[in-house]
Amino acid sequence: MITTAVQEDLYPSRTSSQPEWIPRKDPVVHSEGRAPSTPLTSELVADFERDGFISIPSLFSEEEVDAYWTELKRLSSKREIRENGSTITEPESGDVRSIFNIDRVSEVYNRLARDPRLQNVVRYLLNDDVYIHQSRVNFKPGFRGKEFYWHSDFETWHVEDGMPRMRCISASIALTENNEFNGPLMLIPGSHKQFISCVGETPADNYKSSLKKQEVGVPDESSITRMADEYGIRAPKGPAGSVTFFECNTLHGSSGNISPYPRSNVFFVFNAVSNALVDPFCGRDPRPEHIANRTDFTPLKPL
Amino acid sequence: MITTAVQEDLYPSRTSSQPEWIPRKDPVVHSEGRAPSTPLTSELVADFERDGFISIPSLFSEEEVDAYWTELKRLSSKREIRENGSTITEPESGDVRSIFNIDRVSEVYNRLARDPRLQNVVRYLLNDDVYIHQSRVNFKPGFRGKEFYWHSDFETWHVEDGMPRMRCISASIALTENNEFNGPLMLIPGSHKQFISCVGETPADNYKSSLKKQEVGVPDESSITRMADEYGIRAPKGPAGSVTFFECNTLHGSSGNISPYPRSNVFFVFNAVSNALVDPFCGRDPRPEHIANRTDFTPLKPL
């Protein structure tokens, strides 16, 4: 008898004309019993389980952040970085909005990704070796930083990239202060425990516009309202060097930024090696490699 | 000898290719010595002088706010209100964004404008009888409320409407909670003491687009940054019924609103009768009556 290796779709989305809530089928904290290691305390583990995110102020020092900026300036001035197809620009001004693959183009950022302060957190919570599904630096400029509407990263990564399960954590390392005025990350604590199946169909090459303004894979307003009414909204604040770890299914978004102050961050998506990508569940061609790494699942070596 | 009554332009703007800071030539608090009356304490008077705004939480009760909403629903359902030319809609969705002349079309709102809790504040600070230069209700919907970029109201009222001096105060009465997520009013305390002369020329019929998205009469980024660095930014929060009084030259703006919660308010501009409009200083035709009242300077009768 021949068995086919078709992966079951536990979280179907964009397949129906009605939104649906599907209870989470995966653990939030995948480890049990082992004592957490620095900087992850038992209390933070409990917070992550309940809220779907934790924020640790000043996990990296001012001096370290300065070094990340120095490296960023070096990279931004390099023509091959600006023009290599994995750099995203603002729709109107043409300013650089994101540089993808930052851990591959920079030794400094590669070492940051493997820093024990990040690795100890994600390896414990995921109870596995991890590889980088996506990495980028977001420049959110002052005066004209654009909003990012509410979404679950997992919804997109599952449907468009073929990430099978919820066993993936993002780390956002602040390169500038996050304050109430510069469009900080807003999260709905507890939202990671439900998968909101979105309405609509995935168009071909959706990524070309969705990274600038997302229009498919967007939760319905009624679901967002219900979640916010029940759980509230939170926006971690803190100095540069603070880190927010958030679960791949936690609903989040950010407002535009008219303040004079940029809101820049480094963003690493750490996926469990046991959760490596399969074919996209929407049946479309996969997105480009710099948006969804599907060729190299080699575990990161923690420093 | 014939003398011409040409009004001197104390605050020229949009006349040069370089921005300029012109020190304020008018008092902030126009009264002296008289004891402030409820709800205006001496401390609030000092705050207003220093910051260019004060915010008083829950100046109106929940029951009163409910009555304002009831009236608003009644008005919004009336075709002659929706279609009378002084109702502004969102560029994309067509939703009602603002209803102007609210004190003229509604007895309930007319009485609100004449409420002693507002009148005692503005009449003391301006040391004069007042009339309404502009009134409106702003509906800032959840999920898609648009940002409003930094500006001084006085700059526009002076250049486009012919308001001679800084002797005018706006009152914004919150009809919904203001919180950090729903795009609250942001102000730069202390900015009212300098007039930032803007670059550019006023196009004809500028008001048709500037009420949706302002592009002329916008302060330069360097001036905004200097002000924010020196004075900071503040965004008063509070329940529905809270009131922010702000001086006509205080720099302010607001972010977009992707939260599920609207941010609606009533907005009255109280101008001193001694500061009634003259011809616009830009030499263009005046803006329409519902945006800049130039026909009726009759003092409001406080209740």
Side-chain angles (χ1 to χ4, degrees):
Chain A
M1 196 180 88
I2 297 169
T3 57
T4 52
V6 171
Q7 178 93 27
E8 189 191 357
D9 187 354
L10 293 177
Y11 300 106
S13 184
R14 312 186 201 177
T15 56
S16 160
S17 62
Q18 288 300 318
E20 199 191 338
W21 287 26
I22 301 171
R24 182 185 182 100
K25 296 179 164 64
D26 296 294
V28 178
V29 176
H30 293 259
S31 294
E32 281 180 65
R34 251 200 296 148
S37 50
T38 317
L40 195 63
T41 63
S42 313
E43 194 184 5
L44 286 173
V45 173
D47 289 349
F48 187 83
E49 159 68 34
R50 184 188 64 239
D51 297 335
F53 71 92
I54 48 177
S55 189
I56 307 180
S58 300
L59 188 55
F60 293 87
S61 70
E62 278 181 44
E63 293 69 32
E64 288 173 303
V65 171
D66 285 347
Y68 303 140
W69 272 115
T70 304
E71 172 69 354
L72 224 46
K73 274 165 197 153
R74 191 184 69 81
L75 292 169
S76 297
S77 68
K78 289 174 79 172
R79 192 164 173 169
E80 63 266 34
I81 300 286
R82 291 184 66 89
E83 296 179 358
N84 74 356
S86 48
T87 296
I88 309 291
T89 54
E90 293 280 351
E92 285 168 25
S93 64
D95 292 346
V96 172
R97 173 164 171 167
S98 305
I99 301 175
F100 282 78
N101 272 346
I102 193 77
D103 67 300
R104 297 194 197 181
V105 299
S106 160
E107 175 62 22
V108 171
Y109 281 94
N110 184 277
R111 289 181 63 86
L112 172 56
R114 296 185 292 123
D115 191 286
R117 287 166 287 185
L118 304 181
Q119 289 292 315
N120 289 351
V121 174
V122 297
R123 288 167 59 88
Y124 177 81
L125 294 172
L126 297 174
N127 194 21
D128 201 351
D129 285 339
V130 298
Y131 73 94
I132 291 187
H133 170 66
Q134 185 194 94
S135 76
R136 64 175 193 257
V137 170
N138 295 311
F139 298 87
K140 192 163 190 167
F143 296 115
R144 64 185 69 80
K146 293 287 183 292
E147 71 183 31
F148 233 99
Y149 194 71
W150 300 104
H151 63 287
S152 147
D153 287 331
F154 179 75
E155 198 275 348
T156 299
W157 298 341
H158 180 70
V159 173
E160 299 191 26
D161 299 339
M163 184 180 286
R165 310 290 293 248
M166 295 179 184
R167 195 169 184 173
C168 180
I169 292 173
S170 298
S172 172
I173 301 110
L175 293 177
T176 55
E177 183 190 56
N178 280 307
N179 59 48
E180 69 174 285
F181 305 114
N182 65 353
L185 181 68
M186 303 188 286
L187 307 108
I188 300 187
S191 58
H192 60 306
K193 300 214 172 166
Q194 297 285 338
F195 179 76
I196 302 177
S197 178
C198 300
V199 164
E201 230 185 306
T202 311
D205 289 344
N206 183 42
Y207 74 93
K208 287 185 184 169
S209 58
S210 74
L211 289 173
K212 294 187 176 177
K213 185 163 191 281
Q214 192 159 6
E215 285 175 352
V216 176
V218 168
D220 60 294
E221 293 182 1
S222 154
S223 292
I224 299 171
T225 304
R226 266 175 69 194
M227 292 251 179
D229 283 350
E230 188 163 342
Y231 302 120
I233 300 174
R234 275 167 46 200
K237 318 291 189 310
S242 302
V243 179
T244 300
F245 294 93
F246 58 107
E247 211 280 334
C248 58
N249 189 46
T250 305
L251 272 187
H252 62 285
S254 59
S255 297
N257 177 16
I258 68 163
S259 90
Y261 309 112
R263 208 268 293 177
S264 308
N265 68 326
V266 197
F267 186 71
F268 294 118
V269 180
F270 297 110
N271 193 22
V273 293
S274 57
N275 193 37
L277 301 193
V278 298
D279 289 341
F281 288 91
C282 63
R284 295 273 185 194
D285 287 342
R287 301 196 296 174
E289 183 67 18
H290 67 275
I291 299 178
N293 162 25
R294 54 193 325 116
T295 56
D296 185 1
F297 305 140
T298 315
L300 283 181
K301 285 202 183 78
L303 291 186
Chain B
M1 196 180 89
I2 297 170
T3 56
T4 51
V6 171
Q7 178 93 27
E8 189 190 358
D9 187 354
L10 293 177
Y11 300 105
S13 184
R14 311 187 200 176
T15 56
S16 160
S17 62
Q18 288 300 318
E20 198 191 339
W21 288 26
I22 300 171
R24 183 186 182 98
K25 297 178 165 62
D26 296 294
V28 178
V29 176
H30 293 259
S31 295
E32 280 180 66
R34 252 201 296 149
S37 50
T38 317
L40 194 63
T41 63
S42 312
E43 195 185 4
L44 285 172
V45 173
D47 289 349
F48 188 84
E49 159 69 33
R50 185 189 62 239
D51 297 335
F53 71 93
I54 49 177
S55 189
I56 307 181
S58 300
L59 188 56
F60 293 87
S61 70
E62 278 182 44
E63 294 69 32
E64 289 174 302
V65 171
D66 285 347
Y68 302 139
W69 272 115
T70 304
E71 172 69 354
L72 224 46
K73 274 165 197 153
R74 190 183 70 79
L75 292 169
S76 297
S77 68
K78 288 174 78 171
R79 192 165 173 168
E80 64 266 35
I81 300 286
R82 290 184 67 90
E83 297 179 357
N84 74 357
S86 47
T87 297
I88 308 291
T89 54
E90 292 280 351
E92 285 167 27
S93 64
D95 292 346
V96 172
R97 174 164 171 166
S98 305
I99 300 176
F100 282 79
N101 272 347
I102 193 77
D103 67 299
R104 297 194 197 181
V105 298
S106 161
E107 175 63 21
V108 171
Y109 281 94
N110 184 275
R111 289 181 63 86
L112 172 57
R114 295 185 294 123
D115 192 285
R117 287 166 287 184
L118 304 182
Q119 288 293 314
N120 288 352
V121 173
V122 297
R123 287 168 59 88
Y124 177 81
L125 294 172
L126 297 174
N127 194 21
D128 201 350
D129 284 339
V130 298
Y131 73 94
I132 291 188
H133 171 66
Q134 184 193 96
S135 76
R136 64 177 194 256
V137 169
N138 295 309
F139 299 87
K140 192 161 188 167
F143 296 116
R144 64 185 69 80
K146 294 286 183 293
E147 72 184 31
F148 233 98
Y149 194 70
W150 300 104
H151 63 288
S152 148
D153 287 331
F154 178 76
E155 197 275 347
T156 299
W157 297 341
H158 180 69
V159 174
E160 298 192 27
D161 299 339
M163 185 180 285
R165 309 291 292 247
M166 296 179 183
R167 194 168 183 174
C168 180
I169 292 173
S170 298
S172 171
I173 300 109
L175 293 176
T176 56
E177 182 190 57
N178 280 307
N179 59 47
E180 70 176 283
F181 304 116
N182 65 352
L185 180 68
M186 303 188 287
L187 307 109
I188 300 188
S191 57
H192 61 306
K193 300 214 172 166
Q194 296 286 338
F195 178 77
I196 302 177
S197 178
C198 301
V199 164
E201 228 186 307
T202 312
D205 288 344
N206 182 42
Y207 74 93
K208 287 184 184 170
S209 58
S210 73
L211 289 173
K212 295 186 175 177
K213 187 164 190 282
Q214 191 159 8
E215 285 175 352
V216 176
V218 168
D220 61 295
E221 293 182 1
S222 154
S223 291
I224 299 171
T225 304
R226 266 175 70 195
M227 291 251 180
D229 282 351
E230 187 162 343
Y231 301 120
I233 300 174
R234 276 167 46 200
K237 318 290 189 309
S242 303
V243 179
T244 300
F245 294 93
F246 57 108
E247 210 280 333
C248 57
N249 189 45
T250 306
L251 274 187
H252 62 285
S254 59
S255 296
N257 177 16
I258 69 163
S259 90
Y261 308 112
R263 208 268 293 177
S264 308
N265 67 326
V266 197
F267 186 72
F268 294 117
V269 180
F270 297 111
N271 193 22
V273 292
S274 57
N275 194 37
L277 301 193
V278 297
D279 288 343
F281 288 91
C282 63
R284 294 273 185 195
D285 287 341
R287 303 196 296 173
E289 183 67 19
H290 67 276
I291 299 179
N293 163 25
R294 55 192 325 116
T295 56
D296 185 1
F297 306 139
T298 316
L300 283 181
K301 285 204 183 76
L303 291 186

